[in-house]
Amino acid sequence: MTDADGRRPEPAEELVLLRNRIDRLETESRRAFGDAQREADALFAQYQLSQLLASGGSLGELATAVVIELVRLSGGEAGAIWLGEHGSAVLTRAATVGPDTEARSPFQLEGLEAARSWSASDARCTGLVLDEEPPTFLAVWASEAEPLDTEGLRVAQLARHELGVAFAGARLREALERERHELAAIVDSATDVILQVDEERRVLRLNPAGERLIGASLPAAVGRTCAEVLGCDIAGGHREADCPLAEVLAFGVPIAYRETALRGNHGDAVRVAGSYTRSVGPIPGAVAGGGRATATAILRDISAVRALEQLREGFVATVSHELRTPLALIRGYSDTLLHLDVDEATERSYVERIHQVTDRLAALVTQILDVTRLDADPLILERAPASFAALVARLRGDLALSGEDGRLVVDLPADLPPIEVDSGRVGQVLENVVANALKYAPEETPVVVAAEVEGDWLVATVDDDGIGIPEAERRLVLEPFHRAGNVRESRIPGTGLGLYICRRLIEAHGGELRIADRPDGRRGTRISFSLPLLPNRGRATGHDDEPQPAGPSRPTESVGG
Amino acid sequence: VEEPEVQVPAESTVRLPTSPGAVAGQTVDAPAVRAYLERARRIVTRHAAYLTRLDAVLGDGDHGDNLVIGFRAVETMLDELPAETPPGELLQAVGHRLVAAVGGASGPLYGTAFIEAGFRAGDAETLDVTTLSDLLAAAADGLSRRGRCAIGDKTILDALRPAADAFARVVGGGGSLAAAVTAAELAARDGMRSTRALIARRGLALRLGERSAGYLDPGAVSCFLLVRALAVR
């Protein structure tokens, strides 16, 4: 070793120099180690921050996490973050951390300039603009004991861009989420069925309206084919080969309108009008499989529209027949009476015939008016306590006029409790049902009126020995203008309105009108309808009026023993 | 998430660490460190699936797998290091290996702990209980500094710091290495369990806010496992 002069130093001197040099090297290496450590710390802090920023979550969650992280990084005691909207300068506080932040930070800041000068006015507060548009501002407060860690603040400064991107991402996610919610709300609240299938026509989505119409829950429907779920083939909608969903999937050409039928939740066929489209894109929620085609059907239940059409058609047909036939008869008989000389007996029979036919016409007009009134909402009932037996007795009196009372067999229990109904309306129902039975059952056969109590209801039944109503038509004959096929063939005149009116009137009372086979297995029909019993009937009849025993009504079982 | 699948032994089952180089079970030499690292690898591997499940709740669901990868890398590295490598150097090498091999934040954090411990051990051939105590404290300090975390933040530190403190207390009171290790393990376990109620203040779980309460911190659980591996059973 030599010194600057090239002179070889003395051994003792050499030792001192050597020791100094070692000391220097050690200090340097310690400093280098310290620097490296700080560098590593900063790198790790950046890494953790970016991990946090990349981890998703809502805007609020991100804001809170970022404030916590940055307060930590800078060694401060508190912090707050303000977020603005695009195109607006105003910032609103989104998250705070640490003591008294609510008190020492304003809820709103009028722009970034205001934010800067506000933070500058507080010696312990350091403000940091994270983004200009939309404005994003962070403030960190140093503790009383020590100033902020500049290294940590530097990390935050360096991550400014990343922070801005993360907040933009979170805003975007929130906007998308909001949009998704809104769309989902539209789909969920739609009254039309919305059904989405994949390329194999397996159900991906079905909205609540679809679940209701088809009677299948979404989880039960998902993954099954549209043919299984909708049952178009069975319902007579279209053959499997003609599936409109398959068609749009294959050709990509939207179908704007097509009528078909599907299997409803009662297993019955429901007429629907649908529009069908294909879209290509990622299946929501699917990890892979982007770019796959899906087809969406929007189906509207048009059975009501169809029913209305049928009603109109039925009305036209019925009216044209039921009005014109008697009119033609009246015209014919009156012409004859006017222009021809007929004997007195013939004349009388003609007038009687005209009278008869006029009755028929009047009945038809009454029924049509009834139907019109039924469709007026609400149907006003004049409910009052009544006796079903009395209603039956009144009917018998009416029938006695035409001599048909002999066929009416009344089989009522003596202690039938009172009902609470509109007597006029229920009398009309009883008359109509019994008249039908008398009309369609062979002459001389009995029509049996019976009744029993079921819970809060009185269930009345009318049995006849007639030709019966085919099972498949039982639901239909309760609709307006529908007459069962076997009745139409029988050529007995009728409007197809009677049972419909009866059903509506019973339903207006909260009851039910049903058509069934006779329970004794004989040919014919049983029409049953339920009527509400008078509440608290015990007081009215004097039955069941005894005070209840104080103890339990049944002996209790002994425990143990 | 169920309780950890680890059984904490009664104190009596913990035996003295023994290795050819250990003196009366009161010091630790390079073979003992290598044996510890092998135990650590095995315990982490055994509970990897559980750690990953825990991490799936609070983090990104890879903690167990990451640690297995890291300690496997450590095993390979140890085979390549000369047998005479002193404990301090071994620990530093392990730390660097963990930083490089373990994904996520736990790599740099555990890595730092090992490096700081190794640094504290210097080039001594054997480490006595006092040095071991300092070494654990250095590990906790390093991890705390790098992670900028404190007790109660729901992190590794919630298990590591109590373990280091308990170890130091026993050593300070003249206790044996085995007693110190047992105390450290019990303290780490309690620290780990304390994280369940905590709201995360560090790491990915931060974004969950109050929803992070109710779950054990996977880092604290893995730290408990690494402390538990100190004892030879």
Side-chain angles (χ1 to χ4, degrees), chain A residues 432-482:
Chain A
N432 210 309
V433 172
V434 169
N436 263 348
L438 293 169
K439 184 160 86 176
Y440 294 116
E443 281 180 34
E444 311 298 322
T445 60
V447 169
V448 184
V449 177
E452 60 182 14
V453 172
E454 274 181 28
D456 295 332
W457 300 90
L458 180 145
V459 178
T461 55
V462 177
D463 292 350
D464 69 41
D465 289 348
I467 50 177
I469 302 172
E471 180 114 33
E473 292 198 78
R474 282 179 190 171
R475 231 164 64 83
L476 289 169
V477 296
L478 295 176
E479 299 298 330
F481 297 118
H482 192 98

Side-chain angles (χ1 to χ4, degrees), chain A residues 33 36-38 40-42 44-45 47-48 51-52 55-57 61 65 68-69 72-74 97 149 151-152, chain B residues 60 103-106 108-109 115-116 119 145-150 153 200-208 211:
Chain A
F33 181 77
Q37 216 172 30
R38 271 191 296 280
D41 286 348
F44 185 66
Y47 166 77
Q48 283 215 296
Q51 276 243 307
L52 194 64
S55 65
E61 283 169 0
I68 293 174
E69 184 78 17
R72 184 71 59 113
L73 264 177
S74 59
V97 165
D149 174 358
E151 192 59 36
Chain B
D60 44 9
S106 56
L109 290 171
I115 292 169
E116 296 283 346
F119 198 66
R145 191 199 71 243
R146 178 129 305 156
R148 290 171 194 265
C149 51
D153 283 350
R201 305 289 292 172
R202 302 296 297 137
L204 286 181
L206 193 51
R207 81 201 134 101
L208 296 176
R211 282 176 287 143

Side-chain angles (χ1 to χ4, degrees), chain A residues 180-196:
Chain A
R180 203 186 62 79
H181 269 293
E182 281 164 13
L183 276 176
I186 292 171
V187 169
D188 285 354
S189 62
T191 49
D192 288 346
V193 177
I194 301 176
L195 174 89
Q196 190 182 32

Side-chain angles (χ1 to χ4, degrees), chain A residues 216-239:
Chain A
S217 71
L218 176 62
V222 165
R224 287 162 66 209
T225 64
C226 70
E228 287 170 332
V229 174
L230 300 180
C232 296
D233 199 353
I234 304 161
H238 53 72
R239 285 178 302 126

Side-chain angles (χ1 to χ4, degrees), chain B residues 72-187:
Chain B
R72 209 175 281 152
V74 164
E75 187 185 29
T76 313
M77 184 206 67
L78 286 175
D79 289 345
E80 289 160 6
L81 284 177
E84 63 272 21
T85 313
E89 209 175 301
L90 277 179
L91 290 172
Q92 287 195 53
V94 166
H96 287 294
R97 200 75 203 93
L98 287 178
V99 171
V102 179
S106 56
L109 290 171
Y110 277 128
T112 303
F114 274 97
I115 292 169
E116 296 283 346
F119 198 66
R120 178 63 192 79
D123 52 9
E125 293 289 328
T126 58
L127 312 172
D128 60 21
V129 281
T130 313
T131 314
L132 286 171
S133 173
D134 292 350
L135 204 128
L136 272 173
D141 290 346
L143 188 132
S144 165
R145 191 199 71 243
R146 178 129 305 156
R148 290 171 194 265
C149 51
I151 282 286
D153 283 350
K154 201 174 180 109
T155 67
I156 295 170
L157 193 69
D158 285 317
L160 182 55
R161 177 67 78 193
D165 290 351
F167 196 101
R169 264 199 310 281
V170 173
V171 169
S176 69
L177 176 57
V181 164
T182 303
E185 178 176 333
L186 295 173

